[in-house]
Amino acid sequence: MKDLLWLIPALPLASATLLILGGRLMSPRIVAALGVGSVGAAAICVLLTVLQWQGAPLESQLWTWMQVGELSAGVSFYVDGLTLVMLSVITGVGFLIHLYSAEFMAGDESYARYFAYLNLFVTAMLTLVMADNLLLLFFGWEGVGACSYLLIGFWHFDAANGAAARKAFIVTRAGDAAMALGLFLLFAEFGTLDIQAMSAAAGERWEVGNPTAVLATALLLGGAVGKSAQLPLHTWLPDAMAGPTPVSALIHAATMVTAGVYLVARTHELFLLAPPTLLAVAIIGLLTLLLAAFAALCQHDIKRILAWSTISQIGYMFLGLGVGAWGASVFHLMTHAFFKALLFLAAGAIIHCLHHEHDIRNMGGLRTRLPLVFISFLIGAAALSALPLTSGFYSKDLIVLAAFEAPVAGPWLWAGAVLGAFLTALYSFRLVFVVFFGRTNTLPDRQPGPGMATPLAVLCAFALVGGWLGVPVSNVFPEAETGHAALWVEVISIGVPLLGLGLAWLLFLGRGLDAGDLVASPPGQALYGFWHAGWRVDGLYDWLWVKPYMGLAALLRSEPVDRLYGAVVGLCRLLHRALSNSQTGRLRQYGTVMVVGVIVLLNIVWRAAG
Amino acid sequence: MDGLQVPMEHVLGLASLLFAMGLTGLMVRRNILFVLMSLEVMLNAGALAFVSAGAHWGQPDGQVVFMLILTVAAAEVSVGLGLVLQVQRRFQTLDVDNATRLRG
């Protein structure tokens, strides 16, 4: 199976190439078959690999990509347990989302372009996770960024979508610049970018807490933070919802945004040598998960709620990485891919059946009108809230308990994570109650067809039982110390989501408390507006970066430096005009000037002769 | 050499006078024909100075140069008259102040 590893990214790449070159000539049916089929074939390759996997890492060297001096980067793959988890998620969930897209995007005039971009994204993402060196990983990293840009701005006729795409591209670029610097530093230190060689050499070269190790990992973390939409580079993800909903499900929930988690997990040997960076990872994760949960509580747009919730859940993964619960984070990455893709696809089905309605205040009472979507959403929300026995419960519980046992500030991290879990349940079931219960505001004009229903049903199953799958990463990560937390810690961790569910029921089903009254009170209004605007971070960045930059651009538009050179040009022109005016073309004047000149010269000669 | 010997200063004075007249004519006359004639006067003034200098020192060079100047003058006049014809054709006048197309 090792020799077939190259097929996994090659299949979507071939399909993307065909669709880019000849997509216009193909009928939609062929386009869909090609786009969906290639990812499905890649998924089968991954499945075969998983079934035949013996537990040892597979390596496959295709060719040398570049060889410059000491630097030698190959197009070569390294597949271990961590990579297999990522591969299964990317191709498995990716295939379901492609299948869903075939119906969701039917009738779009750029149908072939859509599948070409989506296949290209899958290729880049597979390259990212399979790369055995950081350079190839960075290549995939930038590839997914480019595809994300293309797909957010897919409906580019609306200028707002283009602006959202640019924002996503530029904000993540800030993180990527840090990551590139980190790669330079690592290459200068180790003379190689091969991940395994580097991990092996790091322990000998650096003692724990070495400043260079801290700096290098902090720079890598910068890239991870940008890509995974963590504080302070999280602002692009809510706006990225401008893209088609399956894109949000695939790129901005299930796969690309978790690339940062993958990067940190992949280079965990380096991070283990830099405890300050690890603590920063945990704190960034905790702050992000809390801020995003509060913001999710106050959105109206169904996709923005899910986007903030994605930021918050990736915050959990970062928290897990930061406290050394590597396996738990990767596990949560996988379950999150299942239930968040499910939620996004269900939201897409609602939007599809409700004339492109995004605002949850205009929904309501859909429980009986769209029963399949209701069940999907309910399962997704339960898993997102980590209600017992759903997949999210197993993974999130591991992270929360690991946070409690963290060496630094453990109980605080745990308390934050538990508060986050409470808020998660609150906003998830607010969404369920507002959209599916109560008065019907908009009637659906159609039901999701089989192309959309099948992926929903499959993902429902995975969101429910995905927690029993487990992830085969015990060989990849160091053994976690599994101390048993006190009973009260476990009880609180498990019970809090139920409390959130209960509060949501009280608030949004009108049994006891009324959410409207809370929001209408003056402090409620202020907080609601503040959280609705995502803690006004966008406004802050606007003031801090965008406005000064635009001001500078406006200043430079008049080219102040060129004024100096303009003055030289002006002087030359002036002289030119004066001298060309002396050329009158009058013969008699020329004669006179000559005579005067001769007289003057003769005078000078005479005087010189004395 | 016997007979009337004109002092060189007188001849040179005459040559200067003729040259100054020619130059003045060149500067003040607007008719291109008169400008050409003024040029001829200036050339002949120069030739006269050469001849008188040759006579003074008893050298043949002055007369050789006179022959040369005569040739140059003939060539100049032939070209100049051609130009006069062209000016007349193009501008319907011989006023040299009208022919200012080469101004900058």
Side-chain angles (χ1 to χ4, degrees):
Chain A
M1 204 53 228
K2 182 181 154 187
D3 302 327
L4 287 182
L5 278 183
W6 64 274
L7 261 183
I8 299 172
L11 283 167
L13 180 63
S15 159
T17 314
L18 279 177
L19 286 173
I20 288 169
L21 294 178
R24 280 168 189 278
L25 310 172
M26 301 178 190
S27 71
R29 188 178 285 270
I30 296 177
V31 168
L34 205 55
V36 180
S38 63
V39 180
I44 291 171
C45 286
V46 172
L47 190 66
L48 288 175
T49 313
V50 170
L51 290 177
Q52 297 185 358
W53 190 53
Q54 306 291 334
L58 306 172
E59 290 181 52
S60 168
Q61 306 216 325
L62 295 188
W63 66 83
T64 303
W65 178 21
M66 56 171 87
Q67 177 119 35
V68 186
E70 280 181 72
L71 175 69
S72 168
V75 178
S76 40
F77 301 136
Y78 177 88
V79 176
D80 60 2
L82 173 61
T83 309
L84 278 180
V85 173
M86 296 299 291
L87 286 180
S88 313
V89 168
I90 295 163
T91 55
V93 176
F95 168 67
L96 292 172
I97 292 172
H98 275 72
L99 186 62
Y100 177 95
S101 300
E103 182 178 324
F104 186 86
M105 297 298 286
D108 195 284
E109 57 190 21
S110 304
Y111 199 60
R113 183 164 64 96
Y114 174 81
F115 275 104
Y117 288 166
L118 217 54
N119 281 342
L120 200 60
F121 166 78
V122 172
T123 309
M125 190 70 204
L126 290 170
T127 314
L128 195 167
V129 298
M130 289 171 75
D132 83 333
N133 62 70
L134 283 176
L135 203 62
L136 188 60
L137 186 148
F138 195 62
F139 176 72
W141 188 274
E142 294 299 319
V144 292
C147 292
S148 160
Y149 165 80
L150 291 171
L151 283 163
I152 296 170
F154 182 73
W155 288 313
H156 54 85
F157 296 107
D158 186 347
N161 295 346
R166 279 198 302 279
K167 183 176 175 188
F169 198 70
I170 291 167
V171 173
T172 51
R173 215 56 30 196
D176 291 356
M179 182 172 165
L181 289 178
L183 296 194
F184 299 153
L185 182 59
L186 286 173
F187 181 71
E189 282 286 309
F190 296 108
T192 175
L193 285 173
D194 186 272
I195 297 167
Q196 301 309 316
M198 199 184 289
S199 301
E204 294 161 17
R205 190 176 174 90
W206 290 334
E207 76 280 14
V208 172
N210 182 305
T212 318
V214 174
L215 180 62
T217 48
L219 287 170
L220 286 185
L221 176 63
V225 159
K227 195 60 100 192
S228 291
Q230 299 294 289
L231 277 178
L233 297 178
H234 64 287
T235 54
W236 63 272
L237 190 57
D239 287 351
M241 296 300 123
T245 309
V247 169
S248 309
L250 178 61
I251 301 184
H252 304 118
T255 55
M256 185 191 85
V257 287
T258 57
V261 179
Y262 171 80
L263 176 70
V264 177
R266 180 47 86 202
T267 54
H268 66 278
E269 305 264 12
L270 306 180
F271 279 83
L272 278 175
L273 297 172
T277 322
L278 265 187
L279 185 64
V281 174
I283 291 172
I284 286 174
L286 182 69
L287 288 178
T288 310
L289 81 88
L290 286 176
L291 293 184
F294 278 114
L297 210 49
C298 300
Q299 305 297 320
H300 314 305
D301 185 320
I302 187 166
K303 286 182 71 182
R304 282 182 87 88
I305 298 176
L306 294 177
W308 280 110
S309 139
T310 303
I311 297 177
S312 173
Q313 293 308 305
I314 298 171
Y316 272 105
M317 296 175 212
F318 268 67
L319 175 64
L321 295 173
V323 300
W326 311 100
S329 281
V330 174
F331 190 25
H332 194 54
L333 189 162
M334 183 181 79
T335 56
H336 174 255
F338 295 146
F339 62 70
K340 190 53 66 67
L342 172 65
L343 282 170
F344 263 114
L345 294 188
I350 296 172
I351 294 166
H352 187 67
C353 300
L354 244 58
H355 331 279
H356 301 285
E357 179 61 64
H358 278 234
D359 195 328
I360 58 167
R361 290 169 300 186
N362 298 336
M363 300 172 185
L366 294 176
R367 181 173 34 126
T368 48
R369 319 261 175 196
L370 295 170
L372 173 72
V373 178
F374 169 61
I375 292 167
S376 308
F377 219 97
L378 195 62
I379 291 172
L384 173 61
S385 317
L387 295 187
L389 300 181
T390 59
S391 62
F393 165 74
Y394 294 101
S395 54
K396 197 186 278 185
D397 200 43
L398 281 177
I399 292 178
V400 173
L401 292 181
F404 187 79
E405 287 160 10
V408 185
W412 290 102
L413 295 177
W414 172 78
V418 167
L419 176 60
F422 174 75
L423 292 168
T424 308
L426 187 59
Y427 70 69
S428 306
F429 281 94
R430 164 183 180 244
L431 195 51
V432 172
F433 292 146
V434 171
V435 172
F436 293 100
F437 291 81
R439 201 158 44 83
T440 307
N441 293 318
T442 314
L443 279 175
D445 59 348
R446 53 186 146 176
Q447 292 287 325
M452 288 163 79
T454 316
L456 283 178
V458 176
L459 281 171
C460 275
F462 274 114
L464 274 180
V465 304
W468 299 332
L469 287 175
V471 284
V473 292
S474 51
N475 293 338
V476 182
F477 299 121
E479 198 67 35
E481 299 160 30
T482 45
H484 277 282
L487 186 64
W488 63 273
V489 174
E490 298 222 17
V491 169
I492 291 179
S493 306
I494 295 169
V496 151
L498 295 170
L499 280 182
L501 166 60
L503 184 62
W505 185 71
L506 284 176
L507 281 171
F508 299 104
L509 277 184
R511 312 268 158 83
L513 289 165
D514 188 6
D517 288 347
L518 275 181
V519 173
S521 65
Q525 244 171 352
L527 267 184
Y528 191 83
F530 187 56
W531 287 338
H532 179 70
W535 299 72
R536 301 214 190 284
V537 176
D538 268 335
L540 177 68
Y541 286 178
D542 207 35
W543 179 78
L544 211 56
W545 308 112
V546 181
K547 288 251 169 66
Y549 182 80
M550 295 308 235
L552 189 66
L555 184 71
L556 291 178
R557 199 188 185 95
S558 61
E559 297 182 349
V561 180
D562 275 11
R563 291 266 169 85
L564 183 65
Y565 302 103
V568 175
V569 172
L571 187 67
C572 289
R573 287 240 169 88
L574 205 68
L575 276 173
H576 157 78
R577 198 164 304 139
L579 287 176
S580 86
N581 276 345
S582 72
Q583 297 275 312
T584 54
R586 287 163 183 262
L587 201 59
R588 299 186 306 129
Q589 193 180 347
Y590 293 170
T592 312
V593 170
M594 260 164 68
V595 169
V596 171
V598 167
I599 289 171
V600 168
L601 281 177
L602 283 178
N603 253 314
I604 291 171
V605 172
W606 267 326
R607 266 157 211 267
Chain B
M1 215 193 274
D2 289 324
L4 199 56
Q5 184 78 20
V6 183
M8 194 180 69
E9 288 80 12
H10 291 190
V11 183
L12 282 183
L14 177 65
S16 303
L17 198 67
L18 281 172
F19 190 83
M21 280 168 66
L23 201 56
T24 314
L26 183 79
M27 288 191 286
V28 300
R29 294 308 298 241
R30 289 163 64 173
N31 191 318
I32 195 164
L33 212 54
F34 284 93
V35 172
L36 274 181
M37 284 165 66
S38 304
L39 271 178
E40 288 303 312
V41 172
M42 285 165 71
L43 280 169
N44 282 318
L48 182 58
F50 272 111
V51 170
S52 90
H56 181 74
W57 280 297
Q59 296 281 334
D61 303 17
Q63 292 175 32
V64 170
V65 173
F66 173 73
M67 295 303 284
L68 187 68
I69 290 176
L70 214 61
T71 322
V72 168
E76 180 254 313
V77 162
S78 62
V79 172
L81 285 177
L83 285 173
V84 169
L85 276 177
Q86 282 299 320
V87 169
Q88 173 64 34
R89 279 211 192 135
R90 296 215 170 200
F91 301 105
Q92 312 298 329
T93 168
L94 285 179
D95 189 346
V96 77
D97 280 1
N98 281 334
T100 56
R101 281 214 196 149
L102 280 176
R103 68 171 169 272

